[in-house]
Amino acid sequence: MEKAQEWREYPATMEMYDAMRDDIMKDAQAAGVSETGEIKLELGIEEMLVNIIKYAYDDPGFVWVRTEKEGEFFRIDFADRGRRFNPLAGNGRGAYDNDDEDCEEGGLGIFLVRKNFDRMEYAYGDFRGKEANILSLWLKMK
C-alpha cells in the first residue's frame, strides 16, 4: 500500500464504528505497522471517530476515511461536514500534573493522540465541493 487509498464513506454512527476501525486496521497491517504502532493507532482511531460520531452532526451525517503509507509513516485522513472543530487548537484538558478535578472537561483523548502520533494536521476547507473538517494523523510504522 504505497499510494493513498480512495476516500471511503461511512455513515457517522456508532453502529459503523467497528467497520471503520477494522478497515483502517487492515490497511495498517498491510502497510506493515508494528504491533506497538497498532495499539497507538487504535487509540487515535477511537478518539477521532467517536468525536465525529458524537459531536459533529445534529442530523445524520457521514465521515470519510483514507489511509496511506508515506515513507516510514502510516497516514490516516478523516473528513466530515459537521460542525467546524479544530482538535489542535488549545491545550486540551489543561495542566495534566494536577488532579483530574482540576482539569477542564474533555480533551484528554486528543492530548493522548498528540502524544502517540508523530504529526497531526487540521484544515477546514473544500472537500468534494463543500466545506469540511479534514484531520490527518501520521504514525511511524516501526
Side-chain angles (χ1 to χ4, degrees):
M1 182 179 85
E2 289 294 326
K3 68 179 200 108
Q5 299 283 328
E6 293 296 315
W7 286 99
R8 292 180 284 212
E9 178 182 280
Y10 304 89
T13 64
M14 284 308 294
E15 293 77 21
M16 290 303 298
Y17 171 78
D18 288 341
M20 290 185 269
R21 182 202 59 222
D22 291 351
D23 287 347
I24 296 168
M25 294 306 292
K26 284 178 194 166
D27 292 347
Q29 290 166 352
V33 173
S34 69
E35 286 184 32
T36 303
E38 285 183 30
I39 293 166
K40 292 177 180 181
L41 184 61
E42 198 151 7
L43 172 92
I45 293 167
E46 179 177 359
E47 180 62 26
M48 295 305 126
L49 288 177
V50 170
N51 278 340
I52 293 168
I53 291 166
K54 286 188 171 185
Y55 304 115
Y57 297 99
D58 289 326
D59 297 319
F62 293 92
V63 59
W64 291 265
V65 178
R66 74 176 173 187
T67 62
E68 157 177 31
K69 181 179 176 184
E70 258 185 27
E72 63 181 338
F73 296 95
F74 182 73
R75 175 181 174 168
I76 313 166
D77 299 312
F78 301 94
D80 71 81
R81 293 191 181 126
R83 276 181 206 85
R84 187 174 185 165
F85 175 69
N86 180 353
L88 307 183
N91 294 329
R93 286 177 52 116
Y96 287 93
D97 46 5
N98 292 337
D99 293 334
D100 281 343
E101 54 195 354
D102 292 337
C103 294
E104 297 173 26
E105 181 78 24
L108 181 58
I110 291 170
F111 171 81
L112 292 173
V113 172
R114 282 182 171 182
K115 287 289 194 191
N116 283 298
F117 281 77
D118 298 284
R119 183 171 154 205
M120 295 175 71
E121 286 183 6
Y122 169 80
Y124 186 79
D126 181 68
F127 176 76
R128 297 181 169 179
K130 293 185 181 177
E131 296 290 296
N133 296 290
I134 303 168
L135 178 69
S136 300
L137 306 175
W138 285 263
L139 179 69
K140 195 168 269 190
M141 301 210 349
K142 300 288 179 192

